[in-house]
Amino acid sequence: MKTLEWNTLFGEGARRIQASTIRELLKLTQRPGVLSFAGGLPAPELFPKEEAAHKAAAILKEKGEVALQYGPTEGYFPLRAWIADWLGVSPEEVLITTGSQQALDLLGKVFLDEESPVLLEAPSYMGAIQAFRAYGPRFLTVPAGEKGPDLDALEEVLKRERPRFLYLIPSFQNPSGGLIPLKARERLLEMIMEGGLVVVEDDAYRELYFGDGRLPSLFELSREAGYPGVVYLSSFSKILSPGLRVAFAVAHLEAILKLTQAKQGVDLHTPVLNQMLVHALVQEDFPERLERIRATYRAKAKAMLEALDREMPEGVRYTRPQGGMFVWMELPQGLSAEALFREAIAQDVAFVPGGPFFAGGGGENTLRLSYATLGPEGIAEGVRRLAKALKGLLALA
């Protein structure tokens, strides 16, 4: 009997899918006693466990035949209508996806060919880089920081390249926590409109602001200006539960049609029961739920920044987020975040090294810290351990 050489049987797309070094490192964070700043996981104490149990039971009792049946690819219409009302669009412009990650993959299917240019911030969301890479694009990047991408650098790139789309996270970016100011959003939109470009706006953290209100999204600004080229993504993962895997894309009807056709070949539809449960959960006390979530993350961010200010040695820079779930840290030049990770895990504290967030390479001295899952005491202790590991590494440098 012949043995199969599996690597010779996989297609070119499969060969691009590789195990992430970071995923292998993060397996170590599962060790008991480790205080983890690594995963971008929502705070589990905010999950609507009791409400979900009651509402799921009621849905199955009253509408079980619908909830457990196949559904339309576009999604459960009452939920699409609720999202449309929330965003000020028509339900026909809304596609429900199985998490935002599926939406990113669908965008790759629809827009990208081998060597297609696609423009990202550096750093950018690791999951988006992974989703797009499967389609063999050519990544273009522009530096980004606390106030979003460098627009002068972006303008220079757009003078010589026409990307299939720009992928941006304008509000509380993952991983940097950056927030593009309103005037920069307006200038960015002018550049996009002038070039007739498509923008994918990932707005998963839109409601997690710490101030008095949120900035208008690029999508909202584009609609006011009459420009149809912004594809808007968001999710219920950060405001209800990531395990339900209910997210959505909003776009011009032609784009939604093509994304829907692509989704039909992937999973037919997002689970109907999950969609019905999300719809039921947003019907009651939704503004109050969002306020509780903001207050929780605001307090956790405050605890982390106070601990970092107290413990970190000189030469370490970090962001001061105005929302979201992340602090981005830059170590002194010459220090490796992966080397720090190994020192830190020995102190039972974990984070995500920044390198994999750079589609074009770089970022070896950067790292992401998430304050979402630990309480104030755990955050303080975790930062103390991280600082101890860092001071030990600096002593060896």
Side-chain angles (χ1 to χ4, degrees):
M1 181 185 296
K2 276 191 174 182
T3 59
L4 293 179
E5 296 291 337
W6 287 102
N7 283 333
T8 68
L9 302 176
F10 296 142
E12 186 58 36
R15 293 189 185 100
R16 296 190 196 104
I17 302 170
Q18 298 178 354
S20 166
T21 303
I22 217 63
R23 302 286 183 201
E24 297 305 309
L25 288 175
L26 292 181
K27 288 179 182 177
L28 298 172
T29 70
Q30 305 304 311
R31 195 171 67 201
V34 171
L35 295 173
S36 181
F37 298 132
L41 308 177
E45 69 266 26
L46 294 171
F47 295 161
K49 298 182 284 291
E50 292 185 8
E51 302 101 305
H54 292 309
K55 291 186 183 299
I59 289 167
L60 288 169
K61 183 177 180 180
E62 299 165 15
K63 303 176 183 178
E65 290 186 1
V66 175
L68 299 177
Q69 186 56 279
Y70 287 115
T73 302
E74 295 84 351
Y76 179 57
F77 185 80
L79 180 58
R80 292 169 62 213
W82 185 91
I83 293 166
D85 184 62
W86 190 29
L87 299 179
V89 299
S90 70
E92 290 72 26
E93 295 175 290
V94 179
L95 171 66
I96 305 297
T97 62
T98 307
S100 287
Q101 196 65 28
Q102 183 185 66
L104 294 171
D105 180 64
L106 296 177
L107 286 161
K109 278 183 167 62
V110 166
F111 283 98
L112 299 180
D113 299 311
E114 187 82 22
E115 291 298 310
S116 296
V118 58
L119 184 57
L120 308 177
E121 299 164 281
S124 187
Y125 172 49
M126 188 194 311
I129 295 170
Q130 184 179 29
F132 302 151
R133 182 166 280 144
Y135 298 97
R138 179 166 54 90
F139 288 118
L140 312 171
T141 62
V142 293
E146 279 195 86
K147 295 187 177 181
D150 181 330
L151 295 186
D152 292 335
L154 178 59
E155 194 167 37
E156 286 302 312
V157 172
L158 295 180
K159 285 178 182 177
R160 61 180 188 271
E161 297 273 6
R162 183 178 174 80
R164 291 291 178 89
F165 59 78
L166 289 70
Y167 172 75
L168 299 170
I169 309 174
S171 296
F172 320 123
Q173 197 233 32
N174 181 358
S176 73
L179 175 67
I180 302 179
L182 179 57
K183 286 190 176 180
R185 291 175 189 234
E186 292 169 343
R187 180 186 168 195
L188 177 57
L189 183 60
E190 287 176 6
M191 293 163 59
I192 292 161
M193 292 170 63
E194 184 177 342
L197 300 171
V198 172
V199 174
V200 175
E201 179 179 19
D202 191 340
D203 208 13
Y205 308 95
R206 62 171 277 150
E207 295 295 341
L208 305 187
Y209 54 85
F210 300 156
D212 295 330
R214 68 174 183 85
L215 293 176
S217 65
L218 284 176
F219 176 79
E220 290 166 323
L221 293 172
S222 71
R223 288 299 175 101
E224 288 174 9
Y227 185 68
V230 178
V231 178
Y232 184 81
L233 310 181
S234 195
S235 167
F236 293 98
S237 290
K238 308 303 185 292
I239 56 178
L240 287 178
S241 157
L244 291 173
R245 309 308 300 134
V246 177
F248 53 91
V250 183
H252 186 274
L253 287 174
E254 287 188 54
I256 285 295
L257 175 60
K258 191 55 65 176
L259 290 169
T260 302
Q261 291 169 346
K263 180 175 167 65
Q264 286 172 345
V266 175
D267 66 354
L268 298 182
H269 64 86
T270 299
V272 179
L273 174 59
N274 296 22
Q275 295 181 68
M276 295 176 79
L277 179 54
V278 166
H279 183 247
L281 288 168
V282 296
Q283 298 301 308
E284 295 179 14
D285 304 322
F286 191 58
E288 292 81 2
R289 182 189 305 280
L290 294 178
E291 283 299 330
R292 288 196 300 274
I293 292 170
R294 290 183 201 115
T296 297
Y297 288 130
R298 187 186 298 117
K300 288 171 182 270
K302 182 173 182 287
M304 173 158 277
L305 290 173
E306 287 176 349
L308 290 171
D309 291 344
R310 183 172 60 248
E311 302 285 355
M312 282 295 129
E314 287 188 17
V316 176
R317 295 190 295 176
Y318 44 88
T319 56
R320 308 191 78 84
Q322 301 176 55
M325 297 165 55
F326 306 110
V327 169
W328 183 247
M329 181 177 287
E330 186 175 323
L331 304 176
Q333 283 296 332
L335 283 190
S336 162
E338 288 198 15
L340 176 59
F341 180 90
R342 298 188 188 283
E343 293 289 327
I345 206 72
Q347 301 287 339
D348 286 332
V349 63
F351 59 84
V352 180
F357 295 102
F358 290 79
E364 290 84 0
N365 68 322
T366 62
L367 58 108
R368 190 192 73 180
L369 303 170
S370 173
Y371 44 78
T373 55
L374 295 177
E377 290 183 5
I379 289 170
E381 176 60 19
V383 170
R384 188 194 66 77
R385 295 180 190 180
L386 179 61
K388 181 179 178 182
L390 178 55
K391 289 169 185 174
L393 195 64
L394 284 168
L396 298 173

